Amino acid sequence: MLKAVILIGGPQKGTRFRPLSLELPKPLFPVAGFPIIYHHIEACCMVSEVKEILLIGFYQPSEALNRFIQTTQQKFKINIRYLQEYTSLGTAGGLYHFRDQILSGNPEGFFVFNGDVCCDFPLNDMYTFHKNLPNGTKYTILATEATRKQSLNYGCLVENPETHEVLHYVEKPQTFVSSIINGGVYLLSPEIFDRIGRVFQLNQNEIFSCDSFTQAKDCIRFEQDIFTPLAGTGSLFVFKTQGFWSQIKSAGSAIYANRLYLGLYHRNHPEILALNEDGKPKIIGDVYIHPKANVDPSATLGPNVTVGENVTIGAGVRVRESILLPGATLQDHCCILNSIVGWNSLVGAWSRVEGTPSDPNPNDKHAKIDSDALFNSDGRLNPSITILGQHVIVPDETIVLNSIIMPHKELGLSYKNEILL
Ligand code: GTP
């Protein structure tokens, strides 16, 4: 029996995702029609040995989170529970705090996921790889390839190419170490808690912080505190995926993840992708339309568009590379490109809402986003996708270009390269 733990962070995390994370916890933000962590859960349910999924985070329990857990466990017929840390305990500290709950029922091991990873999650292959490792205590990290430049933003691993043992692990190195990067998905044996426990004991005697003085002493990070010392000891291994992998940090990366997950539906759920049919809107490439959305047949959607619940799309509307969140209204002949339109926002007739995608090569499934920074080195706003927060009103015949509009704004003019508070 296996279990799975998804690290969902808390309110102070996901700041690069604002303003969208002001409305609901980032892990519940819908990408390709479903909350970010729904994709992790669905992947776990394809591994028959996984019997329970634990979400660990420091969000206050909320109606949205409870509802998500209830509907998802009903859908997949698996036990899902939320365990709340009293504060941010780091990527390994929360697991250690709840070790009794994770180990109850004696699982042979458990998957751990960073909640903001976007991946095709080859968990069965990873489990087979893990089982075939030499006997003894073992830990497997899912990894992917990055360019030399991208690798500096991630955890970098040096492996023994024959045994796949991790010989060296450096988190976000200053200079190039390896193009094999930590994919934020692990398969761990229960003995990991002895390791984390030793770090926990050491920390009790020290005055230190993870990333700020307010961090708890119990804060432990997998990357620096566990994997770095574990590398080269004969128990840490790397499973390299050839599939797609990305992270959802900024809203821009959500557009990229939307494209990746829609592409995955071809393999897993072709039935939920929209088709070109008589009396229906024109569909180009991968498009997901919620069954309760109302789309005029003269609209053209795609590629890579997600239309949420109760979205209304008028005549002649054009949408490409965008996420339309539940309740949004697009009036006749407006055009939405590389943008996220917030919950219950309205875009007037003949208006244009447009952003610039941040990924360099739309056809490269290994492409990572080089920079999620809001501002470039000159202090200027990086060209970004356009985001309309919740309840934003864009009047008729208006242009909004590369801008971020905070919730509840009613625009009077056109905007370009602005953050509108
Ligand atoms: P950044 O680039 O700085 O964001 O680093 P990172 O990609 O390594 O991310 P980070 O380690 O901050 O978080 C990885 C995942 O773990 C994210 O999904 C976070 O929400 C989650 N996470 C981070 N810290 C905590 C924590 O203290 N508790 C829990 N439960 N989850 C956390």
Side-chain angles (χ1 to χ4, degrees):
M1 189 265 274
L2 295 171
K3 291 199 184 187
V5 175
I6 306 175
L7 297 168
I8 65 169
Q12 293 92 332
K13 293 269 162 194
T15 50
R16 280 172 282 176
F17 210 67
R18 288 176 186 161
L20 299 164
S21 53
L22 297 174
E23 312 302 334
L24 95 171
K26 178 179 129 181
L28 300 184
F29 182 82
V31 170
F34 296 94
I36 291 174
I37 56 170
Y38 176 97
H39 299 282
H40 299 61
I41 293 173
E42 178 167 42
C44 288
C45 293
M46 290 186 192
V47 182
S48 56
E49 289 82 359
V50 174
K51 301 296 180 204
E52 186 177 46
I53 300 172
L54 302 168
L55 312 180
I56 299 187
F58 49 101
Y59 288 102
Q60 292 294 334
S62 61
E63 204 198 312
L65 189 56
N66 290 340
R67 207 176 332 114
F68 168 73
I69 291 174
Q70 262 183 12
T71 53
T72 313
Q73 63 180 1
Q74 270 167 16
K75 175 153 189 184
F76 293 111
K77 305 197 171 32
I78 191 162
N79 199 24
I80 306 175
R81 284 190 295 143
Y82 176 50
L83 304 175
Q84 190 195 347
E85 289 157 62
Y86 60 92
T87 184
S88 170
L89 295 178
T91 45
L95 262 91
Y96 186 68
H97 188 74
F98 292 113
R99 61 194 177 283
D100 292 346
Q101 312 241 23
I102 296 169
L103 296 181
S104 76
N106 288 324
E108 78 179 85
F110 52 92
F111 285 102
V112 176
F113 298 84
N114 283 354
D116 52 11
V117 163
C118 159
C119 182
D120 54 3
F121 298 117
L123 302 183
N124 277 306
D125 293 346
M126 187 174 172
Y127 182 39
T128 305
F129 169 90
H130 185 83
K131 278 192 294 196
N132 290 335
L133 289 171
N135 281 340
T137 302
K138 50 207 182 182
Y139 314 110
T140 300
I141 300 181
L142 177 117
T144 183
E145 285 279 340
T147 64
R148 287 173 73 96
K149 184 171 165 234
Q150 287 160 348
S151 71
L152 305 181
N153 298 319
Y154 299 92
C156 296
L157 304 94
V158 178
E159 67 163 343
N160 174 333
E162 269 144 44
T163 62
H164 302 295
E165 189 201 336
V166 178
L167 302 174
H168 197 47
Y169 183 97
V170 194
E171 184 66 19
K172 300 191 178 84
Q174 302 264 308
T175 54
F176 179 70
V177 171
S178 164
S179 57
I180 306 173
I181 60 164
N182 176 359
V185 180
Y186 319 124
L187 181 47
L188 306 175
S189 308
E191 291 77 15
I192 196 74
F193 289 121
D194 302 336
R195 281 267 166 185
I196 308 178
R198 263 177 264 156
V199 176
F200 180 86
Q201 288 309 331
L202 279 173
N203 288 353
Q204 298 311 299
N205 308 324
E206 273 186 43
I207 301 173
F208 93 112
S209 66
C210 264
D211 30 42
S212 84
F213 287 110
T214 55
Q215 289 280 7
K217 267 187 174 181
D218 309 353
C219 177
I220 305 170
R221 302 152 304 177
F222 263 119
E223 304 79 6
Q224 295 91 330
D225 302 328
I226 307 297
F227 293 151
T228 296
L230 208 52
T233 64
S235 55
L236 189 62
F237 293 86
V238 55
F239 171 77
K240 279 189 277 178
T241 176
Q242 300 304 319
F244 70 76
W245 184 91
S246 183
Q247 278 183 309
I248 305 175
K249 295 289 182 191
S250 64
S253 53
I255 293 284
Y256 184 54
N258 188 53
R259 180 196 306 159
L260 295 175
Y261 279 134
L262 288 174
L264 187 62
Y265 290 162
H266 277 291
R267 199 166 81 201
N268 294 349
H269 295 293
E271 74 286 356
I272 64 172
L273 289 170
L275 297 173
N276 279 302
E277 288 169 287
D278 284 347
K280 295 274 180 72
K282 181 171 180 206
I283 303 296
I284 301 170
D286 298 338
V287 174
Y288 169 81
I289 304 177
H290 191 282
K292 288 194 187 145
N294 183 4
V295 186
D296 190 279
S298 62
T300 302
L301 310 178
N304 305 317
V305 168
T306 292
V307 180
E309 188 171 1
N310 297 324
V311 166
T312 304
I313 299 183
V317 166
R318 177 73 177 100
V319 188
R320 199 171 71 200
E321 301 282 350
S322 295
I323 299 176
L324 311 176
L325 293 170
T329 300
L330 309 186
Q331 292 184 332
D332 296 356
H333 304 289
C334 72
C335 177
I336 313 286
L337 309 175
N338 299 305
S339 298
I340 297 178
V341 178
W343 299 268
N344 302 311
S345 284
L346 182 140
V347 180
W350 297 101
S351 285
R352 185 178 181 92
V353 173
E354 180 172 357
T356 305
S358 47
D359 56 300
N361 178 359
N363 299 318
D364 179 2
K365 65 179 179 173
H366 293 295
K368 316 285 177 301
I369 290 172
D370 279 324
S371 170
D372 269 343
L374 207 48
F375 298 97
N376 63 23
S377 49
D378 307 333
R380 285 208 303 258
L381 191 63
N382 265 332
S384 71
I385 67 156
T386 287
I387 305 166
L388 307 183
Q390 184 179 24
H391 277 294
V392 166
I393 298 180
V394 177
D396 294 351
E397 299 176 27
T398 305
I399 298 180
V400 185
L401 192 61
N402 294 339
S403 294
I404 298 171
I405 316 294
M406 291 293 158
H408 305 284
K409 286 293 290 182
E410 180 166 356
L411 305 189
L413 314 162
S414 291
Y415 288 94
K416 181 179 172 189
N417 298 339
E418 298 251 12
I419 300 179
L420 219 70
L421 298 174

